[in-house]
Amino acid sequence: MEEKEIKAGAKRINPFFVPYGTPHGTPPFGRFTLHDVEEAMVEGMRREKENIENMFSDPAEPTFDNTLAREDTNKPKGYYGLLERVSNVFFNLLSAEGNDEMQALAQKMSPLLTKHANDIRLDRRMFDRIKKIKEHHRPLNPEENTLLQEAYDGAVRSGALLDDTGKQRFRELTEEANRLSLQFSQNLLNATKRFKLYLKDEKDISGLPETVCEAAAALAHEEGKDGWIVTLDAPSYGPFMMYSDRRDLRRKLCEAKSSLCTEGDESNINICKRLVNLRREMVQLLGYPSYADYVMAYRMASSAENVYKLLNELIDSYKPTAIKEYDAIVKLAKQKEGEDFELMPWDLAYYSHKLQVQRYNLDPEMLRPYFEMKNVVKGVFGLATKLYGITFKENKDIPVYHPDVRPYEVYDQDGSYLAVLFVDFFPRKGKREGAWMTDYQGQWIDNDGTNVRPHVSLVMNFSKPTDTKPALLRLGEVETFLHEFGHALHGIFANTRFESLSGTNVWWDFVELPSQFMENYAIEKEFLRTFAFHHETHEPIPESLIQRIRTSRNYGVASACLRQVSFGLLDMAYYTQKDTFSSDIKSFEKEAMKKAVIGPQLPQACMTTQFSHIMSGGYAAGYYSYKWAEVLATDAFSVFLHNGIFDKKTAQRFRDCILSKGGTEHPMTLYKNFRGHEPTIEAMLRRDGIDMQYRDRGDK
C-alpha cells in the first residue's frame, strides 16, 4: 500500500506516515499509540525491502552513488527512513518512559526487526554490489572511502559470505541474542524499581542530611505513605549508603543492590551465560577465535592483548595508592568502632565519607545549596557558549514525552540553527537507571545539499526537587551532566555527509573522549564561578569551598580507577572465551576481577547480572573504553589547561578536528589532527597524583 492510499483509505492517519508538522520535524509525542508504532514498523520494513529490491533490479552498474549514498542521504524522503524513525522513537521511549505494554511490544517486534536486518545483511547480492564498487569505483574522498570500507567489512562481519547453513545458524543466534538482551534489560529495570526500603521511625533516618530525608519523604508521599522510602536509584541509594548511621539498613540495601537479578523470575544468571555463548558462537561462524577478537577489528586498541596491557598498567600504577586509600578507611573505622570491627562493603561509603570530612572538611552536602538544577543547566550551557559560541533557547512548542522533559533549540555562533536538545533529568517509574545520550534523528547532508540537523536527547536520574527545596545536585551529578553533555555536543556539532558516520557513530573506544573531556571542567574555579550560587542567598560559592574541592579532587581516585578496571577485566574475561562458557557466574566473576579488587566481597554479590553495558548496552568487549578514552580526554584537556580553559581557538580546533568529524576518518588520525601527536598516559597520572610513583618504577 502506497502512502497516498493509506491516507485516502484510513479514518485516522498514522502519525508516522505523514510529515510530523512539529518544530524542526521532532517526534510527535502524544499523538501516536502503540498500535501506530507497530503498524509503522511493519510498513517501514516493507518499504525498505521494496527499496532494496528496486535497487537490485536497476540495470545500471553498481556505483557508490546509486548504492551506498542512496541509502545514507535520502532517509526522510518517500519510502526512506520510516523504520529508522519509528524505531528510534520507540526504543528511546522504552528506556526513558517504559511500561508493561511497551515491553510486550518490544518482545513481539524485536525478532521481526532482527530478521529484517538479517535479510538485508545476509543477502549476497548486496555484498556483490559493494565488492564491485570497491574494485571499480571512481576516486573517493576520505569520508566516502570510510563509508565504502565499513560497508564492505560490515557485510562480511554480518555473515554475507557464509553458506546457507551458516546463514541460517547466524540468523538463529542473532535473533536469540537480541531477544535475551531485551529480556536482560527488562528484568533489571523491574527488579530495580520493585525494591523499596520503607522507613517508619526517626531512628531509621539517623545520620541522613535534611535534603536526603526530604527526598525519601517525597518518595513515600508519592505512594501515599507516611515516613520515608529509599530505592536503588542512584540519587536515593548513594546518599543513604554514605550517611546512614543504621548499619543494619545499609547492609540490607547493599545486599539488595549487589545481588540484583540473581534469583527468581527476574534472574539474569542463565541469560548472561547464554549471551556470552551466543556471541562467541556467532563470531566463530565468521572465523574469529573469540568475540573480543571480532570487536577489536574496529577499535583503537586493535587487540585484546593491548586492552590487557592498558588494564594491567593501570593496576600497577594505581593499586599501591588504592591499598593505602582502603587501609586509611579501615583505620578510621576501627578507631571509631573498635579494633575488632570488620569493614564490610556496606560500610565503605559511610567511613570513606567520614575520612574525607576529617581530611578536607568537605561534605558533599555543603555543595548542594550551590548546585541548584536551573543554575547548573545555565552553567553547562554557558560553558558551551564560552567555548563554541552556541546558544540554547527553550521552545515549549516542541512536543515532549513527559512533563519533566525540557526541549531546547541550539543555535550556532552565527545564529544558524544547529540542533534540538531534549533534557530529561529525574528518576521515575519506567525509566531505567543511569544516564545516557541518544538521538531521535542524526545529522547528514542530503543530495540536494540540505544539512539535516540532529535531534539529541540526554536522559539522567538526578536528585529531584522536594516540597520545600528545588532540585539540588551533588558534585558527582554535575560531573555526570557534563559527561553526557559532552556526548550531546558530539551529536550537536556533527557535520558529515553520511548519517552512519556522523556524531557519536565512531569507534567505541573513541566515543567516550568528548564526554570524559567535559568532566574535567567540574572542579575548575573559573567554571564554578559562572553558575555556583547559593539557591537561597544567591551568594557565590566561597573560595574556601572551591579550594577544598580542588584539594580533595584526588580523594579515592585510585580506588575509583581500580573499580573501573575490575569491570573491564570482567568484560574481557567473558568475551575472550573460545570454548563454551559453563562456569558458575559468581565464582567466575570474582576470579576475573580479583587483581583489581581490594577488601572483602559478598558471596552473593554479582555484577554480571546487572552489567547492562556488556550484556545489553553495546559495550561487550568494550568496557575498557572508559579508561582508554580517559587517557585521550585528559591528554586533550591538558591543551586547554595550557592555553586557558575557555580558549576559543583551542575549542574551535577541538570542534573542527573531533566533534564535527564523527567517524569519517580513523580516530587516531582525528586525535592527532587536534593534538599533534598520539596521547600518553602521563597527563592522567599527573592529574591523579600518580605520576611520581609511575616514574619511580622505571616504566615510563
Side-chain angles (χ1 to χ4, degrees):
M1 183 185 297
E2 294 184 358
E3 188 171 306
K4 62 182 180 181
E5 294 175 334
I6 294 171
K7 292 179 181 178
K11 292 181 180 179
R12 176 182 175 276
I13 300 172
N14 188 318
F16 290 108
F17 291 163
V18 294
Y20 294 156
T22 55
H24 310 292
T26 51
F29 297 118
R31 285 175 21 207
F32 58 83
T33 65
L34 289 183
H35 174 75
D36 293 329
V37 169
E38 181 176 353
E39 182 182 45
M41 285 183 177
V42 171
E43 173 65 9
M45 287 187 280
R46 187 198 68 77
R47 292 183 186 185
E48 280 196 358
K49 288 179 180 178
E50 181 178 83
N51 176 44
I52 290 171
E53 287 301 324
N54 288 340
M55 179 178 65
F56 289 150
S57 63
D58 187 344
E61 282 293 301
T63 66
F64 181 89
D65 295 313
N66 70 17
T67 302
L68 298 177
R70 164 185 177 144
E71 287 298 303
D72 216 300
T73 57
N74 283 292
K75 292 184 179 179
K77 295 182 178 180
Y79 285 124
Y80 305 113
L82 173 60
L83 181 60
E84 182 177 29
R85 284 184 287 122
V86 68
S87 296
N88 278 351
V89 170
F90 176 70
F91 286 105
N92 284 342
L93 284 182
L94 186 64
S95 293
E97 189 67 6
N99 56 43
D100 292 343
E101 292 76 16
M102 293 175 70
Q103 290 183 6
L105 181 59
Q107 290 284 8
K108 177 181 179 180
M109 295 306 299
S110 289
L112 301 179
L113 293 169
T114 304
K115 179 182 182 302
H116 172 72
N118 278 332
D119 287 344
I120 296 171
R121 290 193 295 249
L122 294 171
D123 194 323
R124 180 59 186 253
R125 293 175 297 173
M126 180 64 79
F127 174 78
D128 289 341
R129 285 182 73 92
I130 296 170
K131 183 172 183 289
K132 194 167 187 178
I133 296 166
K134 187 171 172 55
E135 292 171 348
H136 305 289
H137 62 70
R138 60 174 170 78
L140 301 176
N141 63 37
E143 185 174 349
E144 291 171 332
N145 264 320
T146 298
L147 185 67
L148 174 59
Q149 188 62 50
E150 289 196 2
Y152 182 89
D153 292 345
V156 175
R157 288 163 60 84
S158 297
L161 300 186
L162 295 173
D163 60 21
D164 289 344
T165 301
K167 286 181 179 180
Q168 179 57 34
R169 183 58 181 154
F170 193 84
R171 285 177 181 275
E172 294 167 355
L173 294 169
T174 53
E175 289 175 17
E176 185 180 357
N178 182 278
R179 178 179 61 80
L180 290 179
S181 289
L182 187 61
Q183 187 63 54
F184 176 97
S185 296
Q186 291 176 356
N187 285 349
L188 181 57
L189 175 63
N190 293 341
T192 301
K193 297 301 180 182
R194 180 172 48 79
F195 179 89
K196 294 180 177 66
L197 181 63
Y198 293 94
L199 309 177
K200 297 180 180 180
D201 300 325
E202 291 285 340
K203 64 181 181 180
D204 294 337
I205 59 171
S206 174
L208 300 183
E210 181 183 0
T211 55
V212 178
C213 290
E214 287 186 351
L219 289 173
H221 181 72
E222 288 176 6
E223 297 199 8
K225 296 180 180 294
D226 296 327
W228 306 266
I229 289 178
V230 181
T231 72
L232 299 182
D233 289 320
S236 180
Y237 177 84
F240 190 89
M241 297 302 294
M242 179 182 291
Y243 291 106
S244 174
D245 293 331
R246 288 289 302 274
R247 192 183 191 213
D248 58 329
L249 297 180
R250 295 201 312 267
R251 176 176 183 170
K252 187 173 184 179
L253 204 63
C254 177
E255 289 179 339
K257 177 74 169 177
S258 63
S259 60
L260 272 173
C261 297
T262 56
E263 55 187 30
D265 293 340
E266 292 160 347
S267 173
N268 279 334
I269 290 283
N270 290 329
I271 289 177
C272 292
K273 287 184 179 182
R274 186 63 182 147
L275 281 170
V276 170
N277 282 317
L278 286 169
R279 289 166 179 157
R280 174 194 52 76
E281 186 179 348
M282 195 186 310
V283 300
Q284 287 180 343
L285 276 175
L286 302 174
Y288 293 91
S290 72
Y291 190 76
D293 291 300
Y294 171 81
V295 167
M296 292 303 152
Y298 264 76
R299 296 291 188 269
M300 294 179 76
S302 77
S303 70
E305 289 73 21
N306 286 337
V307 173
Y308 277 117
K309 179 181 177 182
L310 171 68
L311 297 178
N312 287 324
E313 186 176 27
L314 291 172
I315 290 172
D316 290 344
S317 299
Y318 283 82
K319 192 169 184 177
T321 302
I323 291 172
K324 292 178 181 178
E325 292 171 352
Y326 182 81
D327 288 346
I329 296 170
V330 171
K331 181 179 179 181
L332 177 68
K334 288 181 179 293
Q335 288 173 352
K336 291 184 175 295
E337 308 297 342
E339 285 300 315
D340 293 335
F341 183 79
E342 182 182 4
L343 191 80
M344 296 299 291
W346 50 83
D347 301 316
L348 192 58
Y350 181 75
Y351 290 102
S352 176
H353 164 251
K354 290 189 177 300
L355 181 60
Q356 184 179 23
V357 172
Q358 183 184 96
R359 285 184 176 178
Y360 304 104
N361 189 25
L362 183 67
D363 186 309
E365 290 299 307
M366 296 177 182
L367 305 177
R368 271 194 198 262
Y370 298 96
F371 293 149
E372 184 178 356
M373 182 84 259
K374 67 177 184 180
N375 286 338
V376 175
V377 172
K378 289 178 183 177
V380 173
F381 286 0
L383 174 58
T385 302
K386 281 181 174 292
L387 291 172
Y388 307 108
I390 65 175
T391 53
F392 300 78
K393 179 183 178 182
E394 188 169 4
N395 183 347
K396 295 183 179 180
D397 291 331
I398 295 175
V400 295
Y401 56 85
H402 189 278
D404 283 351
V405 180
R406 298 167 64 179
Y408 295 89
E409 295 168 325
V410 187
Y411 293 94
D412 211 341
Q413 52 193 336
D414 63 0
S416 60
Y417 164 71
L418 262 182
V420 168
L421 176 65
F422 296 97
V423 185
D424 181 358
F425 288 119
F426 305 120
R428 58 179 173 268
K429 183 179 180 180
K431 181 193 280 191
R432 68 175 174 85
E433 273 198 294
W436 62 95
M437 169 266 182
T438 186
D439 57 50
Y440 289 94
Q441 174 176 288
Q443 176 275 332
W444 71 93
I445 297 174
D446 212 338
N447 285 337
D448 63 7
T450 301
N451 195 325
V452 181
R453 301 308 305 167
H455 304 154
V456 176
S457 176
L458 296 182
V459 187
M460 291 158 279
N461 284 278
F462 289 161
S463 300
K464 298 171 67 173
T466 67
D467 291 339
T468 61
K469 287 185 178 63
L472 302 175
L473 304 189
R474 294 174 282 116
L475 178 60
E477 292 175 318
V478 176
E479 290 175 333
T480 297
F481 190 0
L482 285 165
H483 178 102
E484 300 305 332
F485 189 69
H487 285 310
L489 290 177
H490 208 175
I492 288 168
F493 286 137
N495 192 33
T496 64
R497 180 182 171 193
F498 305 113
E499 184 182 13
S500 61
L501 299 178
S502 75
T504 56
N505 290 311
V506 299
W507 288 11
W508 219 241
D509 47 10
F510 193 63
V511 75
E512 296 296 338
L513 163 59
S515 55
Q516 299 207 75
F517 167 83
M518 290 297 289
E519 287 185 48
N520 288 284
Y521 281 94
I523 67 160
E524 292 296 326
K525 179 171 71 173
E526 295 170 83
F527 173 56
L528 291 169
R529 286 294 188 203
T530 67
F531 74 93
F533 300 95
H534 196 284
H535 73 101
E536 292 177 332
T537 67
H538 309 298
E539 292 293 319
I541 186 170
E543 182 73 26
S544 60
L545 266 185
I546 294 178
Q547 189 55 44
R548 275 180 267 171
I549 291 171
R550 293 184 60 81
T551 302
S552 66
R553 70 157 297 162
N554 287 337
Y555 178 74
V557 69
S559 300
C561 177
L562 283 194
R563 182 174 184 269
Q564 289 289 94
V565 169
S566 72
F567 296 161
L569 290 171
L570 177 61
D571 174 33
M572 293 303 291
Y574 281 126
Y575 293 112
T576 52
Q577 295 288 315
K578 297 179 181 179
D579 300 313
T580 300
F581 178 76
S582 58
S583 302
D584 174 75
I585 286 282
K586 292 179 184 178
S587 58
F588 179 88
E589 174 180 299
K590 288 174 173 56
E591 179 66 23
M593 299 167 72
K594 68 179 183 180
K595 285 178 62 178
V597 172
I598 299 169
Q601 303 298 300
L602 300 179
Q604 72 270 37
C606 190
M607 176 64 186
T608 302
T609 53
Q610 53 190 297
F611 203 171
S612 296
H613 282 77
I614 70 167
M615 291 298 166
S616 63
Y619 277 83
Y623 194 82
Y624 76 92
S625 300
Y626 283 100
K627 300 311 294 184
W628 186 279
E630 189 176 356
V631 172
L632 300 175
T634 314
D635 187 66
F637 193 68
S638 69
V639 183
F640 284 80
L641 289 174
H642 182 268
N643 295 337
I645 65 169
F646 298 138
D647 185 68
K648 292 183 181 297
K649 289 184 177 179
T650 307
Q652 188 63 44
R653 197 165 79 252
F654 192 66
R655 173 179 176 175
D656 292 342
C657 295
I658 293 176
L659 296 179
S660 68
K661 294 295 186 182
T664 55
E665 296 184 69
H666 192 287
M668 189 56 77
T669 299
L670 298 179
Y671 187 82
K672 289 193 293 186
N673 288 343
F674 167 71
R675 187 69 172 96
H677 56 72
E678 294 190 5
T680 69
I681 199 172
E682 291 279 326
M684 189 173 86
L685 293 170
R686 192 178 307 113
R687 180 201 66 184
D688 293 344
I690 307 292
D691 56 324
M692 292 309 296
Q693 295 180 29
Y694 185 71
R695 290 192 184 96
D696 289 346
R697 281 181 27 257
D699 292 343
K700 181 178 176 182

